[in-house]
Amino acid sequence: MERQVKFIEVGPRDGFQSVKGNMIPTQLKLEIMERLLNAGVSHMEFTSFVSPKAIPQLADSVEVTQALLAQWPEADVFALVPNLRGAQRAYALGLRKVCYVVSLSASHNKANINRTHQQSLAAYREIRESCPELEIVLDLATAFGCPFEGKYREPGAAVDFLRDYIEAGVTTCCLCDTIGIADPAQVRGLLSALKAAYPALALEVHFHDTRGLGVLNTCAALEAGVSGVQAALGGLGGCPFAPGASGNTASEDLIYLLDQLGVETGVDFAQLLAAAKYQRERVPGSYSGHHININAPQCVLG
């Protein structure tokens, strides 16, 4: 396993979007992000430029972006964009990095973003051609299995699917286990196949903790040589368009284990745990984090 890894916090986007009911106040969102950044998080997906009708909790994306870039201009922060309009809004606000989502599953792609695979590829090419200065990370949703199509046992489908995107300019791809169906052997197999097929492609991973394997699968991916790992503060989240999906892998649980294994992330566990507890006290939702779900005193690492 690598001794150093890029840790990417996605809770302010993937976690907050799952919260039902009352809007999370914009100032509270910014306070939580500030706690994350002060804890040493230097890579963060923080919002999405989607229709407020689709994701009401992220209707304040413009205000959040303006405030975050003003206070933390050097941080590697980025947003999800579903189309050219979203990419143009992000760019106009000063962002130079975004992520674009497409599902390996044709049925989930239709349910999630109401597009066929061909339409998604055309939309990506449109963004790439219109915004050449944008760094675009491709999030490959349902990379390990789909709520409608089941688990993908063989890696060939993902290898074939990514070919057109790589030819269109993709240099970084995040493999997303949207419903938490992956297992370590499957993770190693898919990463091995992709690294063999596309050695220049930077690979990241994003696991859900539906079956309690989020941290284990992340470690399997690290052993297989991924360049970045994603998680969400408190494990808040769950795809709103994937029936049965539970919370994300909890950032504090993952950082705790990586600390114990001697893997450097630059993140302070104690501050991150405090941020997770602060968020849970103020933001309702589905949390998978073990450290914020126990009452026992936490040991200070050292």
Side-chain angles (χ1 to χ4, degrees), residues 23 50 55 62 73 85 111 123 150 161 176 178 205 230 243 268 272 275 299:
M23 284 288 295
V50 299
I55 308 291
V62 171
R85 182 181 177 185
F161 182 84
C176 304
T178 309
V205 290
Q230 297 188 357
D268 182 274
L272 189 67
C299 296

Side-chain angles (χ1 to χ4, degrees), residues 159 162-163 166 170-173 190-204 224-227:
V159 173
L162 285 176
R163 186 168 292 111
I166 291 170
V170 166
T171 58
T172 302
C173 176
L190 178 56
L191 286 168
S192 177
L194 288 174
K195 288 171 75 69
Y198 311 115
L201 180 65
L203 291 167
E204 299 173 353
V226 294
S227 59

Side-chain angles (χ1 to χ4, degrees), residues 198-233:
Y198 311 115
L201 180 65
L203 291 167
E204 299 173 353
V205 290
H206 173 122
F207 293 106
H208 283 219
D209 211 32
T210 310
R211 293 161 179 83
L213 296 177
V215 170
L216 186 60
N217 284 329
T218 303
C219 285
L222 285 169
E223 291 172 349
V226 294
S227 59
V229 297
Q230 297 188 357
L233 189 67

Side-chain angles (χ1 to χ4, degrees), residues 23 26 29-30 33 46-52 55-71 77 79-81 85-95:
M23 284 288 295
T26 300
K29 292 180 181 179
L30 292 169
M33 292 181 207
F46 69 96
T47 193
S48 177
F49 289 93
V50 299
S51 168
I55 308 291
Q57 284 291 1
L58 302 184
D60 58 356
S61 58
V62 171
E63 294 83 356
V64 169
T65 301
Q66 291 172 330
L68 191 62
L69 291 181
Q71 187 172 357
V77 294
L80 181 150
V81 299
R85 182 181 177 185
Q88 290 173 332
R89 290 180 69 197
Y91 188 87
L93 288 166
L95 288 174

Side-chain angles (χ1 to χ4, degrees), residues 225-276:
V226 294
S227 59
V229 297
Q230 297 188 357
L233 189 67
L236 178 64
C239 178
F241 304 105
S246 68
N248 292 291
T249 300
S251 299
E252 64 279 4
D253 291 342
L254 179 59
I255 294 299
Y256 177 84
L257 179 59
L258 295 180
D259 279 352
Q260 299 303 300
L261 296 175
V263 178
E264 295 181 9
T265 62
V267 180
D268 182 274
F269 169 73
Q271 290 189 62
L272 189 67
L273 178 59

